[in-house]
C-alpha cells in the first residue's frame, strides 16, 4: 500500500506542478498579448484554458482515489488534503491568466493598456511568470526555502500594484475612465495570481515543517 | 463508526452553513457601511473577520479528523472532500465582505460610492445577502432545488454588474477616475461573492445527484 501511495502521491504532486507551470506560461503569453494587443496570442491562451480545466478534473479524481483506495493517515493524509486545496489555487491562477487574455480580445484592435502603464504590466507579468515557475518548483521539490521566496516576489508585486493605484488616483491620469477601469481589473488579476502562488507555498511549508506561515494579506492595495 | 460519522458530518455541514450565514450578514452590514459611509459599521465588520478566520481553521480541522478517524468511503468520502472545497468558498465570501468594509474605511469621511451608483450597490448587496442565506440553507438542507435557485440570483447579479460597467464606460460618467476605480473593484467583489455562493450550490447538487452542473462563467462582465 505504502509504495503505491508514494508513487500515486508523487504523480499527483507532479501533475499539480505541471498545472502551475502551465498557468505561469499562460500568464506569460497573456501579458505579451496585452502589451502588444496581439489577438491571435490571446486566442491561443483562451483556447488552452480547456486543457487546464481537464487537468483540474484529473487532479481532483486522483486525490479522491488516493483517499478512497489508500486510506492514508497522518502526514500522508495531510498531503492529499493539501493537494485538494492546491488544486483550487492553480485553477484560479489559470482562470486569471485567461481573464487577462480575454481583456486583450475584448478591446482588440485597440490596446487595452495605455502606454503610460506598459512598464508596470511588463514587470507584473515578469513577476507572475516567475511565481508560476516557483510554485511548480515548490510543488515538485517541496523545498521550504524556495516556497518562502514566493513571499518576496509577492511583496514586489504588491509594491507595483500600489504604485499603479497611485497613478490611477492621481489627478494627472490622462488616459480616461474606460482605460482606468481596465487597468484596475488587470492589476487585480496579477495581484490575485501572486496571492495564489504564495498560498501554494504556504501549504507546502506547512506540509514540510508543520507550521503554517501567516496569511498573505489579500487586501487590495488601493 | 457510521453513527459517529453521520453526527460529525452533520456538525461540519452545520458549521459551514453558519459560516456562509455570517459571510452574508457581513456583506449586508458592509453594504450598509458603504451606502452610508458609516465608519463604525465598517469597523465592526472588519473586527468580526477574525471570528470567521477561526471558524475556517476549526472546519478544516474537523474535516481532517473525519478523514483520519472515520476513514469514510464512497459517498461519505465525497461529502468530506466537498466540505474541504466549500471551506475555501465561504472563506472567500467572508474576505470579500471585508474588502467592501475596508473600502468604506479607506475613503472615510468621504463616501466611496458616488450617488449615481447607489441604486446598483443597494441591489447587488441585497442579492449577495440573499445568496449568503441561500448557501447556508443549501448546506444545511442539501436541497438541490434551492441550490439551483442560486444560479438565478447569480444571473441577476451578473446583469447588474454588466449595467454598472456600461455606466462606467460611458462618456457621460461624471464622477471621475478615482471613483470609477473604487466602483470597479467593489463591483468585482460582489460578483465574486455571488460566484462562490453558486459554487457551493454546484458542489451540493453534485453530492445529492451525482451530476456536477456546468461551471459558472467567472469572466468579469466588462
Amino acid at each position: 500500500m505504502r509504495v503505491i501511495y508514494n508513487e500515486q502521491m508523487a504523480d499527483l504532486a507532479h501533475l499539480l506542478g505541471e498545472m502551475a507551470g502551465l498557468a505561469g506560461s499562460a500568464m506569460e503569453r497573456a501579458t505579451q498579448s496585452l502589451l502588444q494587443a496581439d489577438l491571435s496570442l490571446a486566442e491561443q491562451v483562451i483556447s488552452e484554458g480547456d486543457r487546464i480545466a481537464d487537468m483540474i478534473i484529473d487532479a481532483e479524481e486522483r486525490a479522491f482515489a488516493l483517499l478512497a483506495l489508500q486510506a492514508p493517515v497522518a502526514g500522508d493524509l495531510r498531503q492529499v488534503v493539501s493537494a485538494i486545496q492546491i488544486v483550487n489555487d492553480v485553477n484560479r491562477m489559470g482562470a486569471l491568466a485567461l481573464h487577462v487574455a480575454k481583456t486583450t480580445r475584448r478591446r482588440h484592435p485597440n490596446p487595452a493598456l495605455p502606454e503610460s502603464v506598459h512598464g508596470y504590466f511588463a514587470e507584473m507579468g515578469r513577476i507572475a511568470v516567475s511565481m508560476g515557475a516557483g510554485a511548480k518548483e515548490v510543488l515538485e521539490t517541496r523545498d521550504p526555502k524556495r516556497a518562502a521566496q514566493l513571499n518576496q516576489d509577492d511583496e514586489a508585486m504588491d509594491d507595483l500594484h500600489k504604485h499603479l493605484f497611485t497613478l490611477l488616483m492621481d489627478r494627472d491620469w490622462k488616459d480616461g475612465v474606460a482605460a482606468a477601469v481596465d487597468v484596475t481589473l488587470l492589476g487585480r488579476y496579477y495581484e490575485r495570481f501572486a496571492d495564489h502562488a504564495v498560498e501554494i507555498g504556504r501549504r507546502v511549508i506547512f506540509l514540510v515543517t508543520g507550521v503554517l506561515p501567516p496569511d498573505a494579506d489579500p487586501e487590495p492595495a488601493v
Side-chain angles (χ1 to χ4, degrees), chain A:
Chain A
M1 286 296 258
R2 175 82 203 182
V3 174
I4 300 176
Y5 166 82
N6 281 342
E7 221 169 77
Q8 292 185 345
M9 188 62 227
D11 284 350
L12 177 55
H14 183 76
L15 178 61
L16 292 176
E18 207 183 326
M19 283 157 50
L22 277 178
S25 144
M27 197 48 137
E28 183 163 30
R29 284 168 299 143
T31 304
Q32 216 181 316
S33 83
L34 190 65
L35 293 170
Q36 298 165 2
D38 183 336
L39 180 62
S40 70
L41 197 54
E43 294 282 13
Q44 193 194 97
V45 173
I46 295 163
S47 66
E48 279 177 24
D50 288 344
R51 196 167 142 219
I52 299 189
D54 288 345
M55 290 168 88
I56 295 289
I57 294 170
D58 185 18
E60 286 187 345
E61 279 170 3
R62 284 184 195 213
F64 189 80
L66 259 169
L67 292 174
L69 304 176
Q70 307 297 328
V73 292
D76 291 349
L77 176 56
R78 198 154 295 277
Q79 276 200 328
V80 185
V81 170
S82 296
I84 292 168
Q85 294 166 324
I86 289 169
V87 166
N88 174 63
D89 289 302
V90 289
N91 189 17
R92 287 303 304 158
M93 288 166 76
L96 290 161
L98 248 69
H99 282 0
V100 173
K102 285 177 178 174
T103 307
T104 301
R105 181 170 72 179
R106 197 177 299 122
R107 297 294 168 242
H108 191 82
N110 298 314
L113 282 187
E115 282 284 333
S116 60
V117 295
H118 266 217
Y120 285 85
F121 281 88
E123 184 62 11
M124 290 200 296
R126 196 194 57 72
I127 298 172
V129 171
S130 150
M131 292 181 84
K136 177 184 163 85
E137 208 182 314
V138 164
L139 285 163
E140 288 173 352
T141 64
R142 302 181 61 194
D143 175 358
K145 276 192 195 154
R146 185 72 188 83
Q149 213 179 304
L150 286 167
N151 284 317
Q152 291 171 23
D153 286 337
D154 187 49
E155 279 174 28
M157 181 72 92
D158 282 347
D159 280 347
L160 279 164
H161 194 226
K162 257 180 221 163
H163 280 136
L164 186 64
F165 275 96
T166 313
L167 271 192
L168 284 169
M169 292 297 183
D170 197 302
R171 282 164 196 278
D172 288 340
W173 175 263
K174 303 249 183 286
D175 296 296
V177 173
V181 168
D182 278 342
V183 168
T184 300
L185 284 175
L186 287 164
R188 173 117 182 120
Y189 301 153
Y190 284 89
E191 190 238 336
R192 290 294 300 153
F193 186 98
D195 286 343
H196 286 291
V198 168
E199 191 58 31
I200 292 172
R202 286 179 74 229
R203 295 209 185 270
V204 171
I205 290 174
F206 178 61
L207 279 178
V208 178
T209 68
V211 181
L212 194 64
D215 200 357
D217 184 7
E219 186 184 354
V222 189

